[in-house]
Amino acid sequence: MIAVVADDLSGAAELAGAALRHGLTAEVQLVFAPDTAAEVVCVTTESRSLPAADAARRVAEVTRAVMATHPAWIFKKCDSMLRGPVLAEARAAAEAAGKSRIVLLAANPSRQRIVRDGICFVGGVPLAETRLARDPEHPRRSSRVADLLGGDLAGVATPDAVTTSDPFGQAADIDEATLPVGGVDFFAALLAVRCARRPERAAMVDPAGPVLAVCGSAAAWAQRQDQAAARGIPIFALPPDTRAIDRTLRETGRALAGIGSDAAAGGQSPAQLLGRLAQALGEVISRGAARRILLEGGATAAALVSTGGWTRLAVLAAPAPGVTVLRPAGADGPLLFVKPGSYDWPAALWPG
């Protein structure tokens, strides 16, 4: 078994999708369960928004449980824009895994997210000059890797990655004493270096059935509204009328639901608003009105999955970069299309 410890569900799903494309079977877990036949197990700690000390404790606990099963190797997934307590989590995972050195390569050159001379760029623009500078929870006010990590980097290498070949050079140099930490490009490079590629293990995904797109981000809501309106997709914001959503899905086969544009509505935090949204949409899902659900962002995906009571998700397909199709293991649940919140949905996946 190859083990991944990720800080959110969308990151775990993204790496599981990379494993699938490499020809390996994969499973995403919200609670680590070693009794799996999957060749790659991606466990989410849902720790990105926790204080550093709490995140470190949670990551250490999961990593110790994973290491007790003697995985072939372990990878620590972090956000490509270094959001959350990345350094604290990496150090906690390294200590729990018995590693004395860390190589942290979060850049994804395949997605135009690079590090040059210690500076993060997105699409050629310094990170602090992108919309992520205004991220409501993790504003990126600096573009320097060292500033974003914010701590003692002794024993932590943070190499540049400018071209798609750069992660492969780093992957080839990872030894038993080193914990690899980073994004999907680094993980895919390690798979290429360490595992023979096999035919992709993707399952057939039925394209039929009503589609519910879910946006749990106040920052992305305006853009998603515009995209939905341009396609004639009905839009629902908090507090959602679940019966109206049911009726809309059955009559038109598509709908967009989200927390809306005012994240401070009613004095509630984004997490509280997400909880309300997940609870409401859980009713829609339980009634079987939506057979395909588009979930963007780890927090949104985790809230909906937790509402469904699902802790293990089978990985079915990876239809586009960053997008992974999951289904609750052992359950006749809906298809869950999951992607990181900082990526846009491919146009082909929007409800037509």
Side-chain angles (χ1 to χ4, degrees):
M1 179 184 76
I2 297 166
V4 173
V5 177
D7 65 346
D8 80 344
L9 194 150
S10 64
E14 185 180 20
L15 267 60
L20 195 75
R21 286 191 294 273
H22 199 77
L24 303 173
T25 57
E27 181 173 292
V28 173
Q29 299 182 349
L30 280 75
V31 178
F32 179 57
D35 59 329
T36 176
E39 294 167 296
V40 178
V41 174
C42 300
V43 187
T44 174
T45 56
E46 293 305 308
S47 49
R48 182 177 299 176
S49 297
L50 294 179
D54 294 339
R57 280 193 292 272
R58 185 174 295 183
V59 167
E61 180 181 353
V62 171
T63 303
R64 283 193 294 268
V66 166
M67 294 304 294
T69 67
H70 307 290
W73 47 280
I74 186 170
F75 184 89
K76 176 67 180 76
K77 167 70 170 68
C78 73
D79 179 60
S80 61
M81 299 294 95
L82 299 174
R83 291 174 294 182
V86 173
L87 186 59
E89 290 196 12
R91 289 200 181 281
E95 182 178 356
K99 308 295 185 181
S100 59
R101 181 172 176 267
I102 294 168
V103 171
L104 199 162
L105 198 163
N108 289 325
S110 69
R111 303 286 294 180
Q112 297 186 316
R113 299 180 175 203
I114 69 169
V115 174
R116 179 190 291 118
D117 298 327
I119 304 296
C120 296
F121 294 85
V122 179
V125 179
L127 176 59
E129 298 175 21
T130 70
R131 65 181 179 85
L132 291 170
R134 301 180 299 278
D135 185 292
E137 190 171 8
H138 304 287
R140 307 289 79 193
R141 297 192 178 99
S142 173
S143 302
R144 292 181 55 82
V145 170
D147 294 342
L148 295 167
L149 290 174
D152 180 8
L153 295 180
V156 181
T158 57
D160 285 356
V162 177
T163 70
T164 54
S165 64
D166 287 341
F168 289 85
Q170 294 296 328
D173 291 337
I174 298 296
D175 58 23
E176 284 299 315
T178 304
L179 177 69
V181 179
V184 66
D185 281 9
F186 194 17
F187 179 67
L190 281 161
L191 289 177
V193 167
R194 298 182 173 191
C195 307
R197 181 179 288 275
R198 303 200 299 254
E200 186 172 334
R201 303 293 292 269
M204 293 295 293
V205 175
D206 184 359
V211 183
L212 174 63
V214 182
C215 177
S217 166
W221 180 246
Q223 182 183 10
R224 296 294 175 261
Q225 272 190 307
D226 290 344
Q227 291 170 326
R231 292 166 171 83
I233 299 170
I235 299 167
F236 299 87
L238 278 178
D241 182 336
T242 59
R243 293 296 179 183
I245 295 175
D246 278 358
R247 185 169 56 254
T248 297
L249 287 170
R250 297 184 193 283
E251 292 176 354
T252 72
R254 53 192 190 157
L256 168 69
I259 64 173
S261 57
D262 185 2
Q268 293 185 312
S269 69
Q272 290 171 318
L273 293 170
L274 255 185
R276 287 176 56 200
L277 179 67
Q279 184 175 9
L281 296 183
E283 298 175 15
V284 175
I285 295 167
S286 68
R287 292 193 288 264
R291 298 308 298 165
R292 289 179 291 158
I293 303 173
L294 308 186
L295 297 168
E296 59 177 306
T300 301
L304 262 292
V305 168
S306 296
T307 297
W310 305 313
T311 60
R312 298 172 69 164
L313 303 167
V315 182
L316 302 186
V323 180
T324 305
V325 183
L326 310 173
R327 171 168 274 157
D332 183 26
L335 294 176
L336 308 174
F337 290 69
V338 178
K339 74 165 185 67
S342 56
Y343 298 164
D344 277 331
W345 284 110
L349 290 181
W350 268 97

